[in-house]
Structures are given as structure tokens and as C-alpha cells.
Amino acid sequence: MKNNKRNFSNKYSDVRNSILKYSRDSVFTLAMNYLAMENSSGGKSFMIQDAQWLIFMMIKISSSSTGVLKMNDTDFVRLCNKLFRLQDYLIDADPANLLLRFRPLIYQQSLLRKDVPECMRSLARQCKILGGNEFYEKTFHEITGVGVASYFTIWLNILVQATGKKGSGSFELNIIDLLYRVQKVVPLYQVVNFFVFFGVRYSDLPTFFARFSGSAGTVDDYYYDTPLKKKPFLVSGKKIYLFSEKLLLSCFPLLLIQTIKDARVEDAKAQLGLDVEAYIGGLLKKTALKVFDEKALKTIYRENNIPSLGS
């Protein structure tokens, strides 16, 4: 496997250097064009649309480009295919562990296949657990400039817009419609702060991606989540674009909690754990199942001489 990783590193450098020969503007324009295309088995973008994570990797690599060549469609598809084939150097052909070898790649791609109803259910659950809680309201506002209630309201309206769109690629968010719908319950400054915090300007992409340069060219860099899951909105002048509906739906369920965790707020992780446990416990008590709480489980462990953490 070490040789595979070494080969991967060399091959990755070759592909990266090829991408960096092209201007950042031309690569980004093609990337957004491909994300915006409808899925069609007869279209040349078909094989790329089913692997959007390759497009996000292309955007990330090209963000540091100082190249002058203008990339065309053929170049774009060719280099995307080269990125895709890099996985050949990361799979150790061990039949006994084949699924384990594929798991990181499958996990990454499956995250881009969530749907709107699933996200609506996630929104409802998070509202139930976090909504109306002063601790989260204050903590999240200090981090982002947006209250938890405002955050959920804005997201609800974004998801509603996503349901009315055909395809799963990028599209322009209707800000006028969003402001009209949330104006009575969300202060304007919080709407602005939402897109400032969770959006990124094209000119800031190099700086943004530089924060994740430590893993560049590694297995983690290739297999795991794109940094754009932290900032799924592209801010361009007075317009807001979604990089991809698939990206939007995959990042939403954990974005609020991940934002709090990334800020390393004292006691936040412990508080989240307790509140989630309480929520799940409340649901289990409504079932016909016999449910034991943590205290009861510790008693059972002690009575049966079973060692447990924290006992």
C-alpha cells in the first residue's frame, strides 16, 4: 500500500501540474457550466455530473493557478477523467477487504445524493433539539452573526427554492424572493451575515482553499469532503449562486453543529451530546420497546461485573 500511496502522490502531482497550466478563470467557468448542466445520458457532461466531487476538486486545485492557457471542454473532461483514475493507485487489491477499500470513496459520493425531503426532516429535527434554546441562540450568533431561529428560517426558504428547480447543478438564488418571505421574522443584517459566513467570493477562493492545503495530494484530500461543504454559496456582486444543489443538500444537515464544533466553544460539544441524547430518549420512550437509560445500564454492568467507561 505504501508503494500505491507513493505512486498516487506522483500521479496527483502530474495531474495537478497539468491543471495549473490553465488560467483559473477558464477552469472555474467550465466547472460552473458543467455543474449547471442538466443530467442527460446523451450529453457529454453525463459522466461528470455523476461525480460532482471531481468538479469541486478541480475548482480547489485551480484556485492557486497562475497559468495563462485557456481551458476548453475537451481539456476539462480529459483532466477530470485523470482525476477519477487516480483512485486506481489507492486501492490495495485485497479481495478480503474490497468493500473496506471502497468505503471512503463510496461515502464521499453518497453524501452528494441526499434529497430535499430528507433535508426537511433534518431541519425539523434540529429545530426540535436546538430551536428556542438560549445557549445555542447566543453561541451561534456570536460565531456567525446569525441566530439559530433565523438560520433555520433562511434555510427553509432556500430548500423551498431548491425544490422548484430542475436538475441538481448550480443555480442563482432568488434573493428578492427570500428577503420577501423572511423579512417579518429575520432581521436584514442576519440575512447578510448568513451569506457572508456561509458564502465565499470568487476572489477569496484561493485564500479559503489555502486553509486546507495541509492535506493536498494525500489520500484524505482525494477521498473526503470538499471544503466547499463549509461554504456552499458563491457570492458574486449582488447575486448568490449555489455551487450545486447536491452540495447544498449534503452539507446542510450538519452545517450548524459543525460550525459550533469548529469554533471550539467551551461546553458546546457536551451540551449537544446531552440534548441529542434527551431527544432520542424521548422518542424511544414513546415506543413499545423496553428502554434503559444510562444510569440503569451502569447498574446492570456493575451487577454483572462488566467493566464500563465512567463507572
Side-chain angles (χ1 to χ4, degrees), residues 4 10 14 30 49 60 63 67 84 124 141 146 157 163 167 173 204 228 252 254 266-267 279 300:
N4 282 352
N10 294 334
D14 291 342
L30 285 170
Q49 284 283 356
K60 181 173 67 171
S63 68
F84 182 82
H141 191 281
V146 184
N157 283 274
T163 61
L173 195 65
D204 293 333
L228 290 176
F252 160 70
L254 294 176
E266 186 177 359
D267 298 329
Y279 172 73
I300 295 173

Side-chain angles (χ1 to χ4, degrees), residues 142-188:
E142 288 177 350
I143 298 169
T144 66
V146 184
V148 168
S150 296
Y151 172 86
F152 287 139
T153 303
I154 294 170
W155 264 106
L156 175 61
N157 283 274
I158 291 173
L159 292 174
V160 167
Q161 285 196 30
T163 61
K165 173 190 169 294
K166 294 181 179 179
S168 57
S170 63
F171 69 96
E172 181 183 346
L173 195 65
N174 189 330
I175 293 297
I176 301 301
D177 181 72
L178 187 148
L179 290 173
Y180 174 77
R181 293 177 183 276
V182 306
Q183 61 176 326
K184 294 183 178 180
V185 290
V186 180
L188 177 59

Side-chain angles (χ1 to χ4, degrees), residues 238-251:
K238 297 180 180 180
K239 296 182 178 181
I240 307 292
Y241 297 90
L242 308 184
F243 281 102
S244 157
E245 182 192 327
K246 284 184 177 180
L247 177 69
L248 186 80
L249 298 179
S250 70
C251 76

